[in-house]
Amino acid sequence: MTVDTETRPLPAARHARAAVAVLFFTNGALFANLLPRYPQIKEDLAIGNGAYGLAVAAFPAGAITAGLAAGLLIRRMGSARVAVLGTLLTGAGILAAGLAPSVALFATALFLAGAMDALTDVAQNAHGLRVQRLYGRSILNSFHAVWSIGAVTGGLMAAGAMSLGLSLGVHLAVSAAVLVAAAVAALRFCLPGPDNGPEETGPEETRPEETGRKETGRERLTAEGARGTSRVGAVLAALVLIATAGTLVEDAGNSWAALYLSDALHASAALAASGFIALVGAQFIGRLIGDRLVDRFGRRAVARAGGLITAVGMGLALAVPTLPGTILGFALAGFGVATLVPAAMHEADALPGLKPGSGLTIVSWLMRLGFLLSPPIVGQVADAAGLRTGLLVIPAAGVLVVLLAGVLQARPRRD
């Protein structure tokens, strides 16, 4: 009788996994401390929806500007150091944004914070993929689940600070100090050595003839050689759009949920924060079970189901606007897009014909177009036809995912 057992990772790998989880947690919590404060900042600066949308778009603009530098910095400094340094500078930028006395300084601080956040994002995912290869199984969704825990924690911290009447400066200074200290402490437990060094590989790198399973689409691309190279570009573009759809939905919760609930549905400031908390909380649940769902049904089926949930859930919430229904709609949208970014990153990182890490960097860089384009588009539509109409970008993103999910892995992984 043969008994299947799972090899227990070495202590260094387990410690590195915990350290990467801390980096994801602090990254999610830092910016989430600022988001529920947006209505207050908007009121203090006396700006309309259009100007507000352009101002908050500075964060993803900074991320896109700096994103491609992540690869170079990682090769020179190592992914762990880049992630921790980026966390420190992101915290400083967020604090500066909260204290900015003008729209121009607010946007400038967000631009710098977004640039540093992009470096952190690529670096922590690169280090997470190193740890995943040591584990020999999928754990990337779990890191993104921890990010969602951090985002929920940050949102709750902000709601608590508002309930206690803490000023923006005190609140953001304390949160940044605590979260940056946690990231610095995690650095000593990260994997040593260069990121482009040899790693142990997981099941996804095993040759098909060694396992008896069928070739995946990715492996067929490799076998087709030059003809497959042109298809790689098309697949990479589709992966970018899938990840962008996920970030667009996230940004709707980040930038507009609190405003929509407070302005259109007349929720209190503390209750208005529940839209963002519901989105990232449900996103956490989706990512927590995401690895098991993907292993059982495949990335394609999970992404299509998520896109459908997003489109129908938020579509109904906007069609019949009530406070509980809208909060539920944001939650369904968060759950629906939970696995999109990890799935796109995983597929892009394994595409043939690209230098190591290139696919991950490209997706991580371009997916931030969702964060860049969403605020001004929603803001302009909101000024012209109301924020309720502007938020139709959420169900539209769900439809896009349903249409493009065919580029993802169709079959569950068989090890």
Side-chain angles (χ1 to χ4, degrees):
M1 180 177 68
T2 301
V3 178
D4 293 331
T5 59
E6 184 177 299
T7 303
R8 184 172 178 82
L10 295 173
R14 298 198 301 271
H15 294 161
R17 181 177 184 178
V20 174
V22 170
L23 295 177
F24 272 83
F25 177 89
T26 56
N27 182 250
L30 268 176
F31 193 40
N33 268 276
L34 178 65
L35 295 175
R37 293 284 199 166
Y38 272 177
Q40 176 186 344
I41 294 173
K42 180 174 179 287
E43 181 180 355
D44 291 343
L45 297 177
I47 55 178
N49 287 325
Y52 167 79
L54 290 172
V56 298
F59 188 91
I64 291 175
T65 301
L68 287 181
L72 176 62
L73 290 174
I74 288 171
R75 286 191 292 273
R76 290 187 174 182
M77 299 175 56
S79 56
R81 290 189 179 90
V82 172
V84 173
L85 179 60
T87 299
L88 171 63
L89 297 176
T90 300
I94 288 172
L95 176 59
L99 298 176
S102 67
V103 178
L105 291 176
F106 174 63
T108 300
L110 284 182
F111 182 91
L112 296 175
M116 297 303 102
D117 179 76
L119 301 181
T120 302
D121 183 49
V122 176
Q124 68 188 10
N125 276 285
H127 209 77
L129 287 169
R130 285 187 66 189
V131 177
Q132 178 172 271
R133 288 190 287 271
L134 288 175
Y135 266 68
R137 56 185 170 86
S138 177
I139 60 172
L140 190 60
N141 273 298
S142 68
F143 290 134
H144 286 261
V146 173
W147 184 96
S148 296
I149 296 176
V152 172
T153 302
L156 291 173
M157 290 170 67
M162 288 186 291
S163 297
L164 294 174
L166 294 181
S167 67
L168 265 171
V170 172
H171 163 213
L172 296 178
V174 171
S175 63
V178 171
L179 295 170
V180 168
V184 171
L187 178 60
R188 66 186 297 260
F189 297 103
C190 291
L191 295 175
D195 285 81
N196 58 354
E199 302 277 4
E200 294 183 26
T201 57
E204 65 272 15
E205 276 71 45
T206 306
R207 293 177 60 85
E209 61 268 23
E210 295 173 343
T211 62
R213 63 178 174 83
K214 295 180 180 180
E215 284 186 317
T216 64
R218 184 187 311 119
E219 289 159 346
R220 285 195 298 273
L221 284 177
T222 304
E224 289 172 3
R227 191 179 73 172
T229 302
S230 62
R231 291 185 59 197
V232 168
V235 170
L236 184 60
L239 292 175
V240 168
L241 289 176
I242 290 173
T244 300
T247 59
L248 189 150
V249 173
E250 286 186 30
D251 180 77
N254 293 350
S255 302
W256 300 103
L259 286 174
Y260 180 66
L261 290 171
S262 61
D263 292 349
L265 301 179
H266 311 294
S268 65
L271 183 58
S274 62
F276 165 73
I277 294 171
L279 186 145
V280 295
Q283 188 180 58
F284 158 69
I285 295 174
R287 287 173 171 174
L288 190 65
I289 64 176
D291 288 318
R292 284 175 287 175
L293 290 176
V294 166
D295 285 345
R296 182 172 182 180
F297 301 108
R299 292 186 182 86
R300 182 182 301 176
V302 172
R304 279 182 174 158
L308 185 62
I309 290 171
T310 300
V312 173
M314 198 62 196
L316 289 175
L318 294 173
V320 186
T322 64
L323 188 59
T326 301
I327 294 173
L328 177 61
F330 278 114
L332 291 173
F335 183 83
V337 302
T339 65
L340 296 184
V341 171
M345 286 182 170
H346 184 281
E347 295 280 342
D349 192 58
L351 282 174
L354 299 176
K355 294 180 179 179
S358 296
L360 171 64
T361 300
I362 291 171
V363 169
S364 298
W365 180 53
L366 290 179
M367 75 178 188
R368 291 177 179 271
L369 287 172
F371 290 119
L372 176 64
L373 297 177
S374 175
I377 290 175
V378 174
Q380 294 299 325
V381 173
D383 280 344
L387 185 51
R388 180 182 169 193
T389 302
L391 288 176
L392 287 173
V393 296
I394 298 178
V399 172
L400 180 65
V401 171
V402 172
L403 296 176
L404 294 178
V407 301
L408 297 172
Q409 172 199 11
R411 292 179 297 277
R413 180 168 58 86
R414 297 282 188 258
D415 299 333

